[in-house]
Amino acid sequence: MKLNQLERLLERLEGFSQPSPALEQYRTPAPLAARLLFHAAMRGDVEGRRVCDLGCGTGVLAIGAALLGAREVVAIEIDPPVLAIARRNADQADVDIQLIEADVKNPQIHTIAGACDTVVMNPPFGAQQIHADRPFLDAALAIAPVVYGIFNTGSRSFISSYLAGRGEIDEVIGGLLPIRRTFSFHRDEVREIPVEIIRLRKSGAS
Ligand code: SAH
Protein backbone atom coordinates (compact mmCIF):
# COMPACT_ATOMS: atom_id res chain seq x y z
CA MET A 1 0.00 0.00 0.00
CA LYS A 2 1.20 3.51 -0.84
CA LEU A 3 1.40 6.33 1.68
CA ASN A 4 -1.36 8.38 0.05
CA GLN A 5 -3.62 5.33 -0.19
CA LEU A 6 -3.25 4.72 3.53
CA GLU A 7 -3.86 8.39 4.21
CA ARG A 8 -7.08 8.33 2.22
CA LEU A 9 -8.37 5.24 4.01
CA LEU A 10 -7.62 6.74 7.42
CA GLU A 11 -9.15 10.06 6.41
CA ARG A 12 -12.52 8.36 5.94
CA LEU A 13 -12.75 7.04 9.50
CA GLU A 14 -15.24 8.43 11.98
CA GLY A 15 -13.92 10.98 14.50
CA PHE A 16 -14.77 11.55 18.19
CA SER A 17 -18.45 12.46 18.64
CA GLN A 18 -18.19 14.12 22.05
CA PRO A 19 -14.48 14.58 22.70
CA SER A 20 -13.50 14.84 26.35
CA PRO A 21 -11.05 17.68 27.10
CA ALA A 22 -9.88 15.97 30.30
CA LEU A 23 -8.84 12.87 28.32
CA GLU A 24 -7.34 15.05 25.55
CA GLN A 25 -9.37 13.34 22.87
CA TYR A 26 -8.00 14.75 19.65
CA ARG A 27 -8.09 12.62 16.56
CA THR A 28 -4.67 11.97 15.06
CA PRO A 29 -4.87 13.53 11.58
CA ALA A 30 -4.59 10.96 8.81
CA PRO A 31 -1.40 12.41 7.24
CA LEU A 32 0.42 12.36 10.59
CA ALA A 33 -0.83 8.86 11.46
CA ALA A 34 0.12 7.54 8.01
CA ARG A 35 3.55 9.09 8.31
CA LEU A 36 4.24 7.49 11.67
CA LEU A 37 3.00 4.10 10.47
CA PHE A 38 4.84 4.17 7.16
CA HIS A 39 8.03 5.07 8.87
CA ALA A 40 7.57 2.28 11.41
CA ALA A 41 6.81 -0.14 8.57
CA MET A 42 9.95 0.91 6.70
CA ARG A 43 11.97 0.08 9.79
CA GLY A 44 10.42 -3.38 9.94
CA ASP A 45 8.32 -2.65 13.02
CA VAL A 46 4.85 -3.35 11.58
CA GLU A 47 4.58 -6.15 9.02
CA GLY A 48 4.27 -9.53 10.73
CA ARG A 49 4.56 -7.85 14.13
CA ARG A 50 2.26 -7.74 17.12
CA VAL A 51 1.42 -4.06 17.49
CA CYS A 52 -0.30 -2.21 20.34
CA ASP A 53 -2.00 1.19 20.08
CA LEU A 54 -2.11 2.83 23.53
CA GLY A 55 -5.00 5.27 24.02
CA CYS A 56 -6.35 4.23 20.64
CA GLY A 57 -9.26 6.68 20.57
CA THR A 58 -11.00 6.29 17.23
CA GLY A 59 -8.49 3.59 16.28
CA VAL A 60 -6.64 5.40 13.50
CA LEU A 61 -3.16 4.09 14.39
CA ALA A 62 -4.36 0.57 15.20
CA ILE A 63 -6.33 0.28 11.97
CA GLY A 64 -3.45 1.68 9.93
CA ALA A 65 -1.06 -0.86 11.47
CA ALA A 66 -3.45 -3.66 10.53
CA LEU A 67 -3.71 -2.32 6.97
CA LEU A 68 0.09 -2.34 6.73
CA GLY A 69 0.23 -6.04 7.56
CA ALA A 70 0.67 -6.30 11.33
CA ARG A 71 0.21 -9.92 12.43
CA GLU A 72 -2.00 -8.90 15.32
CA VAL A 73 -3.16 -5.53 16.64
CA VAL A 74 -4.32 -4.78 20.14
CA ALA A 75 -5.77 -1.37 20.99
CA ILE A 76 -6.20 -0.05 24.53
CA GLU A 77 -8.60 2.76 25.47
CA ILE A 78 -10.12 3.96 28.75
CA ASP A 79 -13.35 5.46 27.38
CA PRO A 80 -16.04 2.91 26.37
CA PRO A 81 -18.07 5.12 23.96
CA VAL A 82 -14.85 5.84 22.09
CA LEU A 83 -14.12 2.12 21.82
CA ALA A 84 -17.46 1.75 20.05
CA ILE A 85 -16.29 4.28 17.45
CA ALA A 86 -13.02 2.37 17.02
CA ARG A 87 -15.05 -0.82 16.52
CA ARG A 88 -17.15 0.76 13.76
CA ASN A 89 -14.01 2.15 12.14
CA ALA A 90 -12.27 -1.24 12.18
CA ASP A 91 -15.35 -2.82 10.60
CA GLN A 92 -15.50 -0.12 7.97
CA ALA A 93 -11.82 -0.64 7.13
CA ASP A 94 -12.42 -4.40 7.21
CA VAL A 95 -9.59 -5.17 9.62
CA ASP A 96 -9.47 -7.37 12.66
CA ILE A 97 -8.18 -5.60 15.76
CA GLN A 98 -8.55 -6.51 19.40
CA LEU A 99 -10.07 -3.61 21.36
CA ILE A 100 -9.60 -3.59 25.12
CA GLU A 101 -11.07 -1.20 27.67
CA ALA A 102 -8.29 -0.46 30.15
CA ASP A 103 -6.44 2.36 31.87
CA VAL A 104 -2.79 2.58 30.84
CA LYS A 105 -2.06 3.30 34.52
CA ASN A 106 -3.17 -0.20 35.44
CA PRO A 107 -0.03 -1.87 36.88
CA GLN A 108 -1.02 -5.05 34.99
CA ILE A 109 -1.19 -3.27 31.64
CA HIS A 110 1.55 -5.45 30.12
CA THR A 111 -0.45 -8.57 30.96
CA ILE A 112 -3.68 -7.01 29.70
CA ALA A 113 -2.13 -6.05 26.35
CA GLY A 114 0.15 -9.09 26.12
CA ALA A 115 3.73 -8.82 24.91
CA CYS A 116 4.06 -6.83 21.69
CA ASP A 117 6.85 -6.02 19.25
CA THR A 118 5.84 -2.41 18.73
CA VAL A 119 3.73 0.23 20.47
CA VAL A 120 2.27 3.14 18.52
CA MET A 121 0.60 6.00 20.37
CA ASN A 122 -0.59 9.57 20.30
CA PRO A 123 -0.85 10.08 24.04
CA PRO A 124 -2.33 13.09 25.83
CA PHE A 125 0.29 15.83 25.80
CA GLY A 126 -0.45 16.77 29.38
CA ALA A 127 -2.13 20.05 28.42
CA GLN A 128 -5.09 19.39 30.73
CA GLN A 129 -3.61 17.04 33.27
CA ILE A 130 0.01 17.66 33.99
CA HIS A 131 2.27 14.65 33.29
CA ALA A 132 -0.55 12.75 31.58
CA ASP A 133 2.02 11.39 29.12
CA ARG A 134 4.12 9.66 31.80
CA PRO A 135 1.93 6.59 32.37
CA PHE A 136 1.84 6.14 28.59
CA LEU A 137 5.64 6.06 28.43
CA ASP A 138 5.79 3.62 31.34
CA ALA A 139 3.14 1.33 29.86
CA ALA A 140 4.64 1.46 26.37
CA LEU A 141 8.05 0.25 27.53
CA ALA A 142 6.43 -2.45 29.66
CA ILE A 143 4.59 -3.77 26.59
CA ALA A 144 7.14 -3.56 23.77
CA PRO A 145 10.86 -3.00 23.09
CA VAL A 146 10.11 -0.42 20.37
CA VAL A 147 7.74 2.54 20.71
CA TYR A 148 6.60 5.23 18.28
CA GLY A 149 4.85 8.18 19.88
CA ILE A 150 3.68 11.65 18.87
CA PHE A 151 4.80 14.32 21.31
CA ASN A 152 4.90 18.09 21.59
CA THR A 153 8.05 19.50 20.07
CA GLY A 154 10.41 20.21 22.93
CA SER A 155 9.49 17.10 24.93
CA ARG A 156 12.72 15.35 23.99
CA SER A 157 14.82 16.28 26.99
CA PHE A 158 11.96 15.49 29.36
CA ILE A 159 11.48 12.07 27.76
CA SER A 160 15.19 11.24 27.85
CA SER A 161 15.56 12.16 31.49
CA TYR A 162 12.26 10.53 32.48
CA LEU A 163 13.27 7.27 30.82
CA ALA A 164 16.91 7.36 31.91
CA GLY A 165 18.23 3.82 32.17
CA ARG A 166 14.95 2.33 30.91
CA GLY A 167 14.68 3.53 27.35
CA GLU A 168 16.28 5.86 24.84
CA ILE A 169 15.25 8.03 21.93
CA ASP A 170 16.79 6.73 18.74
CA GLU A 171 14.99 8.76 16.09
CA VAL A 172 12.98 11.97 15.85
CA ILE A 173 10.89 13.11 12.89
CA GLY A 174 9.28 16.54 12.85
CA GLY A 175 5.65 17.08 11.87
CA LEU A 176 2.67 19.34 12.33
CA LEU A 177 -0.52 18.57 14.18
CA PRO A 178 -3.41 20.69 12.96
CA ILE A 179 -5.90 21.01 15.81
CA ARG A 180 -9.33 22.19 14.77
CA ARG A 181 -11.44 24.13 17.25
CA THR A 182 -12.81 21.31 19.40
CA PHE A 183 -13.33 22.80 22.83
CA SER A 184 -14.73 26.16 23.95
CA PHE A 185 -11.34 27.28 25.25
CA HIS A 186 -9.85 26.99 21.72
CA ARG A 187 -9.57 30.46 20.21
CA ASP A 188 -8.49 29.66 16.66
CA GLU A 189 -10.40 27.73 14.01
CA VAL A 190 -7.30 25.63 13.33
CA ARG A 191 -4.01 25.80 15.13
CA GLU A 192 -0.95 23.95 13.92
CA ILE A 193 1.16 22.59 16.71
CA PRO A 194 4.68 21.43 15.91
CA VAL A 195 5.06 17.84 17.03
CA GLU A 196 7.66 15.12 16.89
CA ILE A 197 7.27 11.48 16.04
CA ILE A 198 9.74 9.82 18.37
CA ARG A 199 11.05 6.26 18.15
CA LEU A 200 12.05 4.90 21.54
CA ARG A 201 13.98 1.77 22.20
CA LYS A 202 13.89 -0.09 25.49
CA SER A 203 17.38 -0.06 26.99
CA GLY A 204 19.19 -3.22 26.02
CA ALA A 205 16.86 -3.91 23.02
CA SER A 206 18.28 -3.84 19.47
N1 SAH B 1 -4.88 8.08 17.92
C1 SAH B 1 -6.11 8.54 18.56
C2 SAH B 1 -5.81 9.76 19.40
C3 SAH B 1 -6.23 9.58 20.74
S1 SAH B 1 -6.14 10.98 21.80
C4 SAH B 1 -7.15 8.93 17.50
O1 SAH B 1 -6.75 9.37 16.43
O2 SAH B 1 -8.35 8.85 17.76
C5 SAH B 1 -5.67 10.16 23.30
C6 SAH B 1 -6.57 9.01 23.72
O3 SAH B 1 -6.07 8.46 24.94
C7 SAH B 1 -8.03 9.40 23.99
O4 SAH B 1 -8.89 8.60 23.23
C8 SAH B 1 -8.21 9.16 25.49
O5 SAH B 1 -9.52 8.74 25.85
C9 SAH B 1 -7.17 8.09 25.76
N2 SAH B 1 -6.71 8.06 27.15
C10 SAH B 1 -6.44 9.13 27.95
N3 SAH B 1 -6.02 8.71 29.16
C11 SAH B 1 -6.02 7.34 29.12
C12 SAH B 1 -5.67 6.32 30.05
N4 SAH B 1 -5.25 6.64 31.28
N5 SAH B 1 -5.76 5.04 29.66
C13 SAH B 1 -6.18 4.70 28.41
N6 SAH B 1 -6.53 5.62 27.48
C14 SAH B 1 -6.46 6.92 27.83
Side-chain angles (χ1 to χ4, degrees), residues 16 23-28 53-61 76-79 82 102-105 122-124 136:
F16 290 101
L23 291 171
E24 293 195 42
Q25 291 178 336
Y26 297 100
R27 178 179 180 176
T28 310
D53 179 358
L54 276 186
C56 71
T58 59
V60 176
L61 292 172
I76 308 277
E77 167 62 47
I78 198 170
D79 193 13
V82 165
D103 185 336
V104 298
K105 294 192 205 91
N122 183 187
F136 278 78

Side-chain angles (χ1 to χ4, degrees), residues 19-157:
S20 147
L23 291 171
E24 293 195 42
Q25 291 178 336
Y26 297 100
R27 178 179 180 176
T28 310
L32 188 62
R35 187 142 170 232
L36 181 153
L37 292 164
F38 240 73
H39 194 79
M42 241 171 38
R43 294 208 52 174
D45 293 324
V46 178
E47 204 180 332
R49 305 294 188 199
R50 189 164 196 271
V51 178
C52 175
D53 179 358
L54 276 186
C56 71
T58 59
V60 176
L61 292 172
I63 292 165
L67 290 168
L68 290 181
R71 173 167 54 83
E72 231 180 296
V73 179
V74 43
I76 308 277
E77 167 62 47
I78 198 170
D79 193 13
V82 165
L83 275 173
I85 299 176
R87 169 55 59 215
R88 285 199 291 279
N89 279 335
D91 291 346
Q92 196 215 308
D94 200 20
V95 295
D96 185 20
I97 61 177
Q98 195 188 338
L99 292 162
I100 302 177
E101 182 190 332
D103 185 336
V104 298
K105 294 192 205 91
N106 186 319
Q108 298 304 317
I109 194 69
H110 61 289
T111 318
I112 294 167
C116 290
D117 301 296
T118 310
V119 163
V120 291
M121 62 181 187
N122 183 187
F125 287 168
Q128 296 302 315
Q129 255 179 302
I130 192 154
H131 305 322
D133 45 356
R134 292 184 183 189
F136 278 78
L137 288 165
D138 296 335
L141 285 177
I143 293 169
V146 172
V147 178
Y148 290 85
I150 299 170
F151 298 92
N152 253 333
T153 294
S155 315
R156 233 183 285 185
S157 58

